[in-house]
Amino acid sequence: MLNTGERLDQVILKACRQYRDKIAYTCMDAHLSYRQLEGYSAHFCAYLQQHTDLRPGERIAIQLPNLLQYPVVLLGALRAGLVVVNTNPVYSPRELEHQLADSGARALVVLANTAASAAQILSRTPVKYVIVTELADLHPPLKRLLINFVARYVKKLVPAFRFSESISFRKSLALGRSALKKHPDMLEQPVALSASDPVAELAVLQYTGGTTGVAKGAMLTHANLVANLYQVKSHLAEECPGPGEVMVAPLPLYHIYAFTMNIAYTLHQGIHNILIPDPRDIPAFVKAIKPYRIAGFVGLNTLYNALSMNSEFSRLDFSALKISSSGGMALSTKTYRRWLDLTGCRIIEGYGLTETSPLVACNSEAAFQEGSIGRPVPQTQVKVVDEAGHELPAGEAGELCVKGPQVMAGYWQNHQETEKVLDADGWLRTGDVAVIQPDGFIRIVDRIKDVIIVAGFNVFPNEIEDHVCRHPDVREAAAIGVQRGENGQKVKLFVVAASPGLSKAAILEHCRQGLAPYKIPRLIEFCDTLPKSNVGKVLRRALRDPEKHG
């Protein structure tokens, strides 16, 4: 049975004490030990408890990239009984205002580099307390001063901003440290969970759905997150890194995939995480991980693709690499095989959602099928249903539904949207088309909303993109449906070429060799890049409506 009676902060604190002398995180050449993580988080917790009127259950927004401050703030907030609202640092003022107002966040921790957006809209939100941090606030003194000075005055990475009232992160830690000296036992009282009210057990509000409308806050409880941590551990067993081994964390910690893998799971295991603040800067990425023998890697298709084509990355030592995990978007065959050839390590593809904390199913070394998302993790039930909600037999495509201890409590203050996806029996409708094979392996066909209807036939963009990307001169591709009067849709293909000599005719010939006639693109457009989300997932909606998504 999975242990779901613990709070996430209790799990992390136990790890901090067990692995106190090991490194928990490295970022920009500075280290944060498990001992320091416990200590700094205690100071931040004491600040929240003694210098604000925030009470357990209230919300605090964390708007930080992958910096050492993130795990400290997260753990400190959870220790204080607050609910964390993970917030993208590159949100526009409009997006940020919605999330802060909708969540009712009364505190915001923000990086100085991106604070100007928050300053524009803060007066229209419930936020009362603003804590501002700079890039290197947890670095050793001389390095901290140098990095922060260069960022602010030389590279001018900190636009002017003004809050009516705010406090620096370092000052908050100092105040908390002083409070703890006066009252050393103040953190010993655990925050009680309420078994009868799942909202009282909330750990995180994880916003999702902004790509299709107004973003909704998925209510993830301590039980959800701890259950998924143990599901990951049980499913992947011996192939994951152990205490002291190194795992790369290039995806943003505020995204649920990295949150679970590079915070909950890796801290529980005593792993050393290398934080990458900007994974798009490949030279800096390679430089950051070059000194280490990497045992684990968390990424997704576009990142694996970009790294495997980088000459400096290809010269790294991969002899210690045990696991490379992929999620967030479909893993292409071409990317999988290129990574395997380069590193000798399979990419273990999994599947999850924000609403499932996130992992639902995953391959493993013991049970692996290329092109599938593996089998469900422990204590997880899956089924596929037709449009009327009737369960379909194995081998038939339908909407994937999930039930398990990792499924969210619902959407924050949005009962109507909750009812659309979560039924009274706890089954979550994912919005993904899938096939469950007789052997239990699951294959994701596509998103329901992305299916293209051509002359009455369902055409799945993932299939087209995977085939097109097998062409040696194609770097990336994305397919969408374009309406053609009353006769349904036609396939439009966007291509990022790896060779300037690639022609539309060559792409069409390649498609004819592997796709049925009705699946062959009728329109082909070359582009320099494809629009992507903050974690690198290709945004088909932006290709369908470029003016709206910009």
Side-chain angles (χ1 to χ4, degrees), residues 188-204:
E188 296 305 314
Q189 297 298 321
V191 180
L193 295 177
S194 171
S196 61
D197 182 7
V199 175
E201 300 178 9
L202 283 186
V204 173

Side-chain angles (χ1 to χ4, degrees), residues 99-118:
Q99 189 162 318
L100 295 177
D102 185 75
S103 66
R106 295 188 63 233
L108 170 67
V109 182
V110 63
L111 181 66
N113 302 42
T114 58
S117 292

Side-chain angles (χ1 to χ4, degrees), residues 88-400:
N88 190 336
V90 299
Y91 267 163
S92 68
R94 177 189 61 80
E95 292 168 318
L96 179 59
E97 181 180 351
H98 165 73
Q99 189 162 318
L100 295 177
D102 185 75
S103 66
R106 295 188 63 233
L108 170 67
V109 182
V110 63
L111 181 66
N113 302 42
T114 58
S117 292
Q120 294 179 43
I121 52 85
L122 211 67
S123 63
R124 300 193 293 274
T125 75
V127 172
K128 179 180 179 180
Y129 302 100
V130 179
I131 301 98
V132 181
T133 189
E134 298 196 53
L135 280 172
D137 272 355
L138 290 180
H139 281 52
L142 290 179
K143 185 175 287 187
R144 179 180 74 245
L145 292 172
L146 177 61
I147 292 176
N148 289 344
F149 178 86
V150 170
R152 184 179 286 271
Y153 299 108
V154 179
K155 296 186 177 180
K156 301 189 184 302
L157 297 177
V158 184
F161 63 88
R162 181 181 178 83
F163 295 109
S164 59
E165 188 174 347
S166 65
I167 186 174
S168 73
F169 176 63
R170 291 189 59 78
K171 179 68 176 295
S172 75
L173 294 183
L175 290 172
R177 185 166 56 250
S178 296
L180 273 178
K181 286 182 179 178
K182 296 178 182 177
H183 308 284
D185 298 327
M186 63 183 295
L187 301 183
E188 296 305 314
Q189 297 298 321
V191 180
L193 295 177
S194 171
S196 61
D197 182 7
V199 175
E201 300 178 9
L202 283 186
V204 173
L205 284 184
Q206 193 75 25
Y207 275 75
T208 184
T211 60
T212 56
V214 177
K216 306 176 290 291
M219 296 189 293
L220 303 182
T221 66
H222 285 274
N224 290 151
L225 294 164
V226 174
N228 209 231
L229 150 65
Y230 285 115
Q231 287 170 318
V232 171
K233 180 179 179 180
S234 176
H235 191 75
L236 295 178
E238 299 300 322
E239 60 208 64
C240 273
E245 292 190 290
V246 178
M247 200 157 185
V248 184
L251 303 184
L253 296 177
Y254 57 79
H255 188 275
I256 190 60
Y257 176 24
F259 184 95
T260 293
M261 291 300 294
N262 293 116
I263 293 181
Y265 178 73
T266 53
L267 290 180
H268 177 265
Q269 294 293 98
I271 291 169
H272 174 187
N273 293 271
I274 308 296
L275 295 178
I276 308 297
D278 182 6
R280 294 167 297 182
D281 186 348
I282 301 297
F285 189 145
V286 174
K287 182 180 178 182
I289 66 175
K290 189 175 182 178
Y292 303 96
R293 299 185 75 242
I294 304 300
F297 205 105
V298 176
L300 75 173
N301 186 78
T302 50
L303 180 60
Y304 285 120
N305 188 44
L307 290 172
S308 61
M309 292 191 296
N310 180 270
S311 59
E312 288 297 316
F313 182 81
S314 67
R315 287 195 282 270
L316 297 180
D317 178 7
F318 301 107
S319 60
L321 190 59
K322 294 181 177 179
I323 186 171
S324 304
S325 74
S326 176
M329 65 182 296
L331 177 68
S332 75
T333 301
K334 184 176 181 179
T335 299
Y336 167 79
R337 292 178 180 171
R338 179 184 287 140
W339 184 266
L340 179 60
D341 289 343
L342 174 64
T343 67
C345 180
R346 286 172 167 170
I347 298 177
I348 302 296
E349 186 173 10
Y351 168 82
L353 304 161
T354 299
E355 291 87 345
T356 57
S357 307
L359 191 63
V360 170
C362 189
N363 279 284
S364 68
E365 286 295 338
F368 181 90
Q369 280 189 15
E370 183 180 338
S372 83
I373 58 165
R375 290 173 172 151
V377 295
Q379 294 192 8
T380 301
Q381 300 176 57
V382 294
K383 64 181 180 180
V384 294
V385 300
D386 60 20
E387 292 181 1
H390 300 132
E391 186 170 356
L392 297 171
E396 290 195 25
E399 182 177 7
L400 182 65

